[in-house]
């Protein structure tokens, strides 16, 4: 009994301590996450300034001239900013077109079906179905979003029985008019800012990242500590990724082929930043001095990064970086990986210089853009998506109509703008939408109504408040894809409360109703999008990734097709499908972050693996497309028979390796794959031996074939080994991925 004063803590006390520690760790992680996401980076202030000024001008015009639906004009200033004013103008024009079509549809529909309650109810259901369906099948997403926004706004407007039909029709027309006003203001502001600040956001983003990598390499070569500013930028760029740069290039007016090239280059730049961050971390833990040969490699790599950066900024094709088929080992971790990744950047744009003349081959013939996606009326997934969205929105509509609470009509808009095709991505939108509703609706909206607005009696004071909230929203909106959506939702919640009426709004009931409407919409979306036709984001990502590899193998086999016209047509289709697949894989990878459960850690590990492989496969596709362009003009059959045979065998080996990788990813039985680097060496030796036996110089076509096969082999060989070794580690039960860096063992 004497020992009772020194008894061990009870299990319950230990559990409490463990839970407290976990909460502290989560809090630390969340704080570091916010600091990283909200840290300034080059160009961010200019973007926030453009958006804030444009939205504030729209607000002043709306309040001054009392334009209905003013929140739509203000919120679209956050959506429209593009890489340059011309691209912004085109996006704005398409937005206006989408709203105009929806306005005509609404005006005709309600005129014909408004009188009878049953037909009106059916019109609402049909309109919501079309909104969700168009969101999936219209090729230009902006037009689909504009149509849905207009319809969801018009539904609640036409349910107002306190005003006559003519007034409702006029307000419906103003919904499109105020968006047109927002587009005009945004385009004008973009043009003015571009005159003041000519450098584009895309150029600044690429240049700063490559300059940061160059500084890291030079400081390591000189054995000097990295300055604090570069250290912060390296950590920032490694955290925020390149999602905003990819959005800028995808929204630009460049050709589809150049968009694919730049998207690949941007992905590789992001990969270089990630590896440089790991390199820097490993270097700080290193106690041994750097060998002289590694110092020379660091300086040489820094020079290459500098040259690539300068050529990209001068809008020139980056010069191809020669590299051996087999990497040289290094005592510095991640150095060979950085060398390999930097060397891939020029490959994203072209093959050998002699192939440049074929850049306008039949493969790149301009074909008309389609209004609908290719599988708009054949893919059952589009119908499932539309049905789920319609059910969720109609439940909300019936709920607030039945209980006669029209203030909850924001639930319908919530369903529309949080609709995505997987559990993870819908959860992501719902979490950020809920956070935006709380911060924008309760903290800023209700907070301003209680503490600020009662003391304002002029438009000038409200303008200051509006500009501050918009600037905060725009700053969050320019973060990475993990947080940016929160900024848009914050602004939308604040605008819904304070930009609907033409007076300073101090009634808390309006904010309460609109926030509750958001909650209703989130609950409905959780029910139908998480429980109906459920699709796991990890399974979807792996299936799309494996399908991409299968399509790549088919593309390689098409090079051997005798009917060249048929082959070119099919290769073009395959190229577009693979490029679409890259975007789909990225979307599903982001969605995995918002899926929880006992296997979450394994899912995150597989996600990291796939994200590591994506840039190499993107580059591989572009190098293969270069080969297609060349062989379309000079097929292998034009070469001497021995050379043509090894060339054909090489393309067959490429297809076999791609199918082997697809089998590894999808968990199917894997057939033995050839060593693609040995196959490339065989091509080179056969060409050398053939022309040496004739005593003549190697022909240009044969020399180009050597360059193309080397480019493909130096990318595909390490990639296949990485995928094979990673899944072999999974099979051995090592738990998680083993990120083997070849040449660094």
């Amino acid at each position: 009994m004497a020992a009772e004063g020194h008894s061990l803590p009870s299990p319950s006390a230990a559990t409490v301590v463990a839970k407290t520690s976990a909460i502290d760790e989560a809090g630390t992680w969340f704080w570091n996450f916010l600091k990283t996401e909200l840290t300034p980076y080059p160009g961010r202030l200019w973007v926030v300034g453009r958006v804030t000024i444009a939205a504030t001008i729209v607000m002043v015009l709306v309040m001054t001239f009392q334009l209905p639906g003013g929140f739509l004009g203000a919120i679209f200033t956050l959506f429209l900013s593009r890489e340059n004013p011309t691209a912004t103008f085109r996006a704005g024009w398409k937005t206006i077109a989408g709203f105009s079509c929806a306005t005509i549809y609404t005006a005709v529909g309600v005129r014909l079906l408004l009188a009878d309650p049953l037909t009106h109810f059916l019109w609402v259901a049909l309109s919501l179905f079309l909104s969700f369906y168009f969101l999936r099948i219209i090729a230009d997403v902006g037009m689909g979003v504009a149509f849905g926004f207009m319809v969801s706004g018009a539904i609640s407007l036409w349910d107002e029985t306190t005003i006559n039909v003519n007034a409702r029709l006029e307000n419906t027309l103003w919904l499109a008019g105020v968006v047109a006003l927002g587009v005009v203001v945004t385009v004008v502001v973009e043009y003015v800012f571009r005159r003041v600040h000519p450098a584009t956001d895309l150029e600044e983003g690429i240049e700063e990242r490559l300059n940061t990598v160059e500084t890291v390499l030079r400081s390591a070569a000189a054995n000097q500590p990295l300055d604090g500013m570069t250290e912060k930028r390296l950590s920032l760029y490694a955290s925020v990724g390149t999602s905003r740069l990819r959005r800028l290039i995808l929204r630009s007016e460049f050709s589809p082929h150049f968009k694919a090239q730049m998207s690949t280059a941007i992905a590789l730049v992001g990969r270089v930043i990630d590896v440089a961050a790991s390199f820097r971390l490993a270097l700080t833990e290193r106690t041994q001095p750097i060998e002289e040969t590694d110092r020379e490699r660091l300086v040489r790599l820094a020079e290459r990064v500098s040259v690539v950066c300068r050529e990209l900024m001068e809008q020139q094709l980056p010069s191809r970086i020669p590299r051996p088929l087999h990497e040289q080992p290094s005592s510095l971790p991640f150095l060979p990986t950085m060398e390999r990744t930097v060397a891939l950047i020029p490959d994203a744009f072209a093959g050998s210089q002699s192939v440049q003349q074929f850049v306008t081959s039949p493969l790149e013939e301009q074909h008309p853009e389609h209004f609908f996606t290719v599988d708009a009326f054949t893919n059952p997934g589009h119908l499932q998506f539309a049905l789920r969205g319609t059910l969720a929105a109609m439940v909300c509509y019936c709920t607030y109509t039945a209980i006669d609470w029209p203030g909850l009509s924001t639930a319908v808009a919530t369903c529309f703008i949080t609709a995505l095709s997987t559990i993870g991505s819908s959860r992501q939108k719902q979490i950020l939408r809920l956070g935006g509703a709380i911060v924008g609706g309760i903290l800023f909206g209700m907070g301003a109504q209680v503490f600020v607005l009662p003391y304002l009696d002029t438009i000038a004071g409200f303008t200051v408040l509006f500009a501050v909230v918009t600037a905060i929203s725009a700053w969050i909106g320019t973060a990475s894809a993990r947080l940016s959506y929160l900024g848009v939702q914050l602004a939308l919640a604040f605008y819904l409360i304070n930009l609907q009426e033409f007076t300073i709004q101090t009634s808390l009931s309006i904010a309460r109703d609109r926030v509750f409407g958001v909650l209703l919409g989130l609950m409905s979306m959780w029910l139908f999008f998480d429980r109906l036709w459920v699709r796991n984001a990890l399974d979807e990502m792996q299936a799309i990734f494996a399908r991409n590899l299968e399509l790549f193998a088919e593309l390689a086999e098409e090079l051997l097709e005798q009917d060249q016209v048929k082959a070119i047509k099919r290769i073009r289709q395959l190229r577009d499908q693979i490029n679409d697949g890259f975007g789909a894989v990225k979307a599903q990878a982001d969605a995995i972050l918002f899926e929880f459960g006992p296997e979450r850690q394994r899912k995150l590990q597989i996600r990291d693996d796939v994200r590591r492989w994506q840039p190499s496969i993107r580059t591989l596709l572009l190098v293969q497309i270069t080969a297609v362009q060349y062989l379309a003009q000079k097929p292998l059959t034009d070469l001497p028979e021995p050379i043509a045979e090894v060339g054909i065998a090489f393309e067959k080996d490429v297809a076999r390796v791609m199918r082997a990788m697809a089998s590894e990813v999808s968990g199917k039985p894997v057939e033995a794959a050839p060593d693609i680097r040995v196959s490339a060496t065989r091509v080179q030796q056969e060409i050398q031996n053939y022309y040496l036996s004739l005593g003549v110089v190697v022909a240009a076509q044969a020399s180009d074939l050597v360059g193309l096969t080397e480019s493909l082999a130096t990318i595909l060989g390490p990639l296949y080994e990485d995928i094979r070794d990673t899944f072999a580690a999974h099979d051995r039960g090592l738990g998680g991925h083993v990120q083997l860096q070849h040449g660094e063992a």
Side-chain angles (χ1 to χ4, degrees):
M1 296 295 292
E4 289 180 359
H6 304 281
S7 61
L8 293 174
S10 64
S12 59
T15 302
V16 171
V17 172
K19 289 183 178 180
T20 303
S21 177
I23 293 174
D24 291 340
E25 291 179 1
T28 302
W29 172 87
F30 183 70
W31 176 246
N32 292 333
F33 167 75
L34 286 182
K35 285 199 301 183
T36 300
E37 292 288 338
L38 301 180
T39 300
Y41 57 77
R44 189 173 197 172
L45 188 60
W46 288 98
V47 178
V48 173
R50 294 201 307 264
V51 171
T52 303
I53 291 175
T56 304
I57 292 174
V58 171
M59 181 277 297
V60 172
L61 294 175
V62 166
M63 300 295 280
T64 301
F65 298 102
Q66 298 188 1
L67 306 180
F71 77 96
L72 281 177
I75 197 64
F76 266 88
T77 61
L78 277 72
F79 293 151
L80 290 176
S81 182
R82 295 293 190 268
E83 161 62 5
N84 56 58
T86 302
T88 302
F89 174 79
R90 292 181 179 179
W93 181 88
K94 292 179 179 178
T95 298
I96 294 174
F99 266 89
S100 300
C101 293
T103 301
I104 295 172
Y105 165 81
T106 302
V108 173
V110 296
R111 277 300 207 186
L112 296 175
L113 306 173
L114 180 65
D116 183 69
L118 177 60
T119 57
H120 179 68
F121 178 83
L122 295 176
W123 175 81
V124 170
L126 175 63
S127 300
L128 290 172
F129 177 83
L130 290 177
S131 298
F132 285 101
Y133 193 50
F134 286 164
L135 186 62
R136 285 292 294 265
I137 68 171
I138 294 179
D140 187 280
V141 178
M143 291 188 68
V145 171
F147 186 94
F149 259 107
M150 177 65 195
V151 169
S152 60
I155 287 174
S156 59
L157 192 154
W158 279 93
D159 283 341
E160 291 186 27
T161 57
T162 56
I163 57 177
N164 59 40
V165 173
N166 290 335
R168 279 180 275 180
L169 179 60
E170 181 181 346
N171 290 341
T172 301
L173 297 176
W174 269 117
L175 290 179
V178 78
V179 170
L181 173 65
V183 169
V184 172
V185 171
T186 302
V187 172
V188 171
V189 171
E190 290 273 337
Y191 271 101
V192 172
F193 264 75
R194 192 61 66 205
R195 295 294 296 272
V196 177
H197 184 64
T200 66
D201 305 330
L202 180 63
E203 291 173 348
E204 284 189 343
I206 295 175
E207 184 177 21
E208 288 293 331
R209 284 167 172 80
L210 291 178
N211 287 341
T212 299
V213 173
E214 181 185 355
T215 304
V216 171
L217 294 171
R218 292 193 185 279
S219 66
N223 197 25
Q224 295 178 348
L226 193 63
D227 63 277
M229 181 59 69
T230 304
E231 189 85 54
K232 289 181 180 179
R233 286 184 176 177
L234 180 64
S235 175
L236 171 66
Y237 291 141
S239 299
V240 302
T242 58
S243 57
R244 186 170 186 275
L245 298 183
R246 286 197 300 270
R247 287 199 301 270
L248 287 173
I249 193 62
L250 291 175
R251 292 173 172 179
S252 68
E253 78 281 8
F254 298 120
S255 66
H257 183 55
F258 184 73
K259 286 182 181 180
Q261 291 177 322
M262 280 302 300
S263 295
T264 302
I266 289 170
L268 290 169
V269 170
R271 174 65 178 149
V272 171
I273 282 286
D274 292 340
V275 178
S278 300
F279 170 79
R280 174 63 185 165
L281 179 62
L283 208 60
T284 58
E285 300 172 351
R286 183 182 176 88
T287 57
Q288 299 177 348
I290 300 176
E291 299 176 2
E292 187 62 28
T293 55
D294 284 334
R295 291 182 187 275
E296 294 175 358
R297 291 174 67 175
L298 288 169
V299 173
R300 187 164 57 249
L301 181 57
E303 291 292 339
R304 288 174 175 173
V305 171
S306 177
V307 170
V308 169
C309 180
R310 184 178 67 252
E311 290 175 337
L312 287 175
M313 294 305 101
E314 294 174 354
Q315 298 182 353
Q316 299 177 0
L317 288 178
S319 305
R320 187 172 183 272
I321 299 174
R323 58 192 186 277
L325 285 175
H326 300 278
E327 292 175 348
Q328 300 175 358
S330 171
S331 61
L332 290 178
F334 303 105
L335 177 56
T337 305
M338 276 195 290
E339 290 176 327
R340 182 170 69 246
T341 308
V342 171
L344 291 176
I345 296 177
D347 288 339
F349 294 92
S352 62
Q353 291 299 319
S354 59
V355 179
Q356 295 297 319
Q357 58 182 309
F358 298 102
V359 75
T360 57
S361 72
L363 184 64
E364 296 308 322
E365 289 178 354
Q366 293 295 322
H367 51 282
E369 296 184 2
H370 299 285
F371 184 78
F372 296 110
T373 58
V374 177
D375 62 347
F377 306 107
T378 58
N379 186 352
H382 299 327
L383 285 174
Q384 293 177 355
F385 177 89
L387 286 173
R388 288 189 297 170
T390 303
L391 287 172
M394 285 302 296
V395 166
C396 296
Y397 178 80
C398 293
T399 299
Y400 75 74
T401 301
I403 63 178
D404 194 21
W405 195 349
L408 300 181
S409 60
T410 52
V412 174
T414 298
C415 293
F416 179 76
I417 62 180
T418 59
L420 286 177
S421 58
T422 66
I423 302 174
S425 51
S426 67
R427 282 181 181 168
Q428 177 186 9
K429 292 272 183 167
Q430 289 169 31
I431 291 171
L432 296 179
R433 171 71 175 177
L434 179 61
I438 293 173
V439 178
I442 298 178
L443 182 62
F444 288 131
M446 290 184 173
Q449 289 177 312
V450 174
F451 299 108
V452 179
L453 294 180
Y455 305 100
L456 299 180
D457 56 3
T458 64
I459 188 66
F462 181 71
T463 299
V464 173
L465 173 65
F466 183 90
V468 169
V469 175
T470 300
I472 294 173
S473 303
W475 193 271
I476 298 174
T478 52
S480 73
R482 296 178 296 179
L483 189 66
S484 59
Y485 193 72
L486 176 67
V488 177
Q489 301 314 311
L490 189 158
L492 182 59
F494 182 80
Y495 295 168
L496 280 170
I497 294 173
N498 293 289
L499 208 56
Q500 287 272 52
E501 292 80 19
F502 313 116
T503 182
I504 293 177
Q505 184 58 255
T506 57
S507 173
L508 293 178
S509 62
I510 294 178
R512 176 206 62 196
D513 292 351
R514 289 165 185 169
V515 171
F516 281 6
V518 171
L519 296 176
L520 174 62
L522 292 177
M523 290 177 60
S524 184
M525 288 295 288
W526 171 82
L527 177 63
F528 289 99
F529 267 66
D530 284 7
R531 302 303 174 190
L532 185 63
W533 292 312
V534 167
R535 291 197 296 175
N536 181 282
L538 175 66
D539 294 340
E540 186 73 7
M541 181 191 71
Q542 286 188 266
I544 297 173
F545 187 69
R547 177 60 178 163
N548 255 13
L549 297 176
E550 291 281 359
L551 292 175
F552 199 110
E554 187 177 343
L555 188 149
E557 292 171 342
E558 285 294 332
L559 288 175
L560 310 178
E561 173 66 42
Q562 296 296 322
D563 188 342
Q564 191 178 95
V565 175
K566 177 182 176 182
I568 289 295
K569 182 178 179 180
R570 179 57 181 158
I571 289 173
R572 182 186 294 151
Q573 294 174 346
L574 291 170
R575 178 199 59 189
D576 294 341
Q577 287 179 322
I578 294 171
N579 280 324
D580 291 341
F582 288 140
V585 169
K586 176 65 172 59
Q588 302 305 329
D590 290 341
I592 291 175
L593 293 173
F594 294 87
E595 292 190 344
F596 301 91
E599 294 192 343
R600 173 174 168 78
Q601 193 60 38
R602 182 184 69 86
K603 292 180 179 181
L604 293 177
Q605 291 167 349
I606 296 176
R607 170 184 180 269
D608 290 340
D609 290 327
V610 172
R611 292 178 70 232
R612 186 174 78 252
W613 298 325
Q614 279 268 94
S616 294
I617 297 177
R618 280 181 176 269
T619 309
L620 197 64
L621 173 64
L622 292 173
V623 174
Q624 185 72 304
I625 290 300
T626 302
V628 171
Q629 293 175 209
Y630 183 80
L631 296 176
Q633 299 289 336
K634 294 187 176 182
L636 290 172
T637 52
D638 290 353
L639 290 166
E641 185 176 351
I643 299 177
E645 289 179 355
V646 293
I648 293 172
F650 176 81
E651 289 299 335
K652 290 181 179 179
D653 287 345
V654 169
R656 290 174 61 191
V657 172
M658 298 303 296
R659 294 194 189 282
M661 289 194 297
S663 298
E664 292 277 9
V665 173
S666 58
K668 299 177 182 178
V670 182
E671 298 181 0
D675 189 329
I676 198 64
R677 285 174 289 198
V678 172
S679 183
T681 303
R682 190 180 303 118
V683 173
Q684 182 179 359
Q685 290 175 346
E686 183 63 37
I687 290 174
Q688 290 177 347
N689 294 337
Y690 180 84
Y691 286 99
L692 183 62
S693 65
L694 297 178
V696 297
V697 179
V698 177
Q701 183 181 359
S703 178
D704 286 335
L705 180 61
V706 171
L708 291 170
T709 55
E710 285 182 353
S711 296
L712 286 167
T714 51
I715 302 169
L716 184 55
L719 176 65
Y720 169 67
E721 292 172 0
D722 194 0
I723 291 177
R724 180 197 61 198
D725 294 343
T726 298
F727 282 95
H730 283 303
D731 294 339
R732 289 195 298 269
L734 297 183
H737 69 268
V738 178
Q739 186 167 331
L740 298 178
Q741 305 294 342
H742 300 288
E744 297 175 9

